Amino acid sequence: VIVGFVASAVLALLFVWQERRAPQPMLPLSLFTHRLFALTSLVGLLVNVAFYGLIFVFSLYFQRVNGLSPLSTGLAFLPMMGAVLPVNLVAARVSERVGAPATIAAGAVLSALGCLALLGIGPGTSYWAIGAQLTIIGAGLGLLVPPLTSTLLGSVEKSRSGIAAGVLNATRQTGSVLGVALFGSLVGQADAFMAGAHAALIISASLLLAAAAAIWRGTSNRASH
């Protein structure tokens, strides 16, 4: 694991070095000089660390701690994922009224509140005491993703929209991998699973609130100038 982390750090530095000197880079680093582009990419990373990391933790919680079958565990996530689509449809109207940054921040805060509300879970906690909070987390994700995508694409020239969409997808996928790795290490010890799960919830809430603050303050400072 340590060798893998070291190798990834070295390869990341080599990638940046290559992209800086390439006449036609695959990833133009100048994109990150656009404030909104950099902020939305960061938010995408942080949100996915929290969201997919928690899905991994609760998959283990439902099966290892509460004894649900794999099928029942999958069904347990239906309300959470089912909330994403209808809120996606509402997000555009909310964004038109209050602005994309405020909508993104509100979605992140909503998901953070859902995480904090789950801190009371323990072995044997019924699904009905958990499902509503998971649904709130899913609703927050559904609220923030559409304006996040549109804001990122709108921050660059149309000729670079494909690259911008690829960067957002890459940062979100990276966040998913980091979330599973980080939270997996927290709950890896059988005798400390619940302590690790609570730590994962606190970290997730902190990351989501940091994402909300970053997009809110970053765009507010830009507007004031």
Side-chain angles (χ1 to χ4, degrees), residues 181-217:
L182 173 61
F183 295 170
S185 67
L186 293 175
V187 299
Q189 297 180 359
D191 57 344
F193 183 90
M194 290 312 306
H198 291 150
L201 286 166
I202 293 173
I203 293 172
S204 294
S206 300
L207 292 176
L208 290 164
L209 292 174
I215 194 70
W216 181 260
R217 290 179 60 84

Side-chain angles (χ1 to χ4, degrees), residues 86-100 103 142-143 146-147 150:
V87 178
N88 271 170
L89 301 176
V90 175
R93 294 184 180 181
V94 175
S95 183
E96 288 176 0
R97 292 197 173 204
V98 302
T103 306
L143 185 62
S150 61

Side-chain angles (χ1 to χ4, degrees):
V1 173
I2 294 175
V3 171
F5 276 120
V6 172
S8 66
V10 172
L11 291 172
L13 291 173
L14 289 174
F15 176 77
V16 171
W17 176 75
Q18 173 63 25
E19 294 301 286
R20 286 175 63 89
R21 63 192 294 270
Q24 294 183 335
M26 180 177 67
L27 174 60
L29 298 179
S30 59
L31 287 175
F32 292 96
T33 61
H34 297 269
R35 189 181 189 86
L36 274 179
F37 181 87
L39 283 173
T40 48
S41 298
L42 175 63
V43 169
L45 175 74
L46 296 178
V47 166
N48 271 40
V49 170
F51 188 75
Y52 287 96
L54 286 181
I55 288 179
F56 178 72
V57 169
F58 276 92
S59 296
L60 296 177
Y61 170 77
F62 287 136
Q63 295 180 73
R64 288 174 50 182
V65 179
N66 281 7
L68 296 185
S69 67
L71 176 60
S72 297
T73 297
L75 293 175
F77 285 108
L78 277 180
M80 182 185 195
M81 306 310 297
V84 173
L85 179 58
V87 178
N88 271 170
L89 301 176
V90 175
R93 294 184 180 181
V94 175
S95 183
E96 288 176 0
R97 292 197 173 204
V98 302
T103 306
I104 296 168
V109 170
L110 184 63
S111 291
L113 293 176
C115 294
L116 295 175
L118 284 168
L119 285 174
I121 65 169
T125 301
S126 70
Y127 175 75
W128 303 110
I130 299 174
Q133 293 92 320
L134 292 178
T135 303
I136 290 172
I137 295 173
L141 181 75
L143 185 62
L144 70 86
V145 169
L148 181 73
T149 304
S150 61
T151 300
L152 180 136
L153 294 178
S155 67
V156 300
E157 300 85 355
K158 288 186 177 181
S159 60
R160 291 186 166 182
S161 59
I163 296 175
V167 171
L168 179 60
N169 185 57
T171 54
R172 293 188 63 192
Q173 294 300 325
T174 301
S176 303
V177 173
L178 291 175
V180 171
L182 173 61
F183 295 170
S185 67
L186 293 175
V187 299
Q189 297 180 359
D191 57 344
F193 183 90
M194 290 312 306
H198 291 150
L201 286 166
I202 293 173
I203 293 172
S204 294
S206 300
L207 292 176
L208 290 164
L209 292 174
I215 194 70
W216 181 260
R217 290 179 60 84
T219 53
S220 297
N221 291 340
R222 183 188 183 195
S224 64
H225 292 304

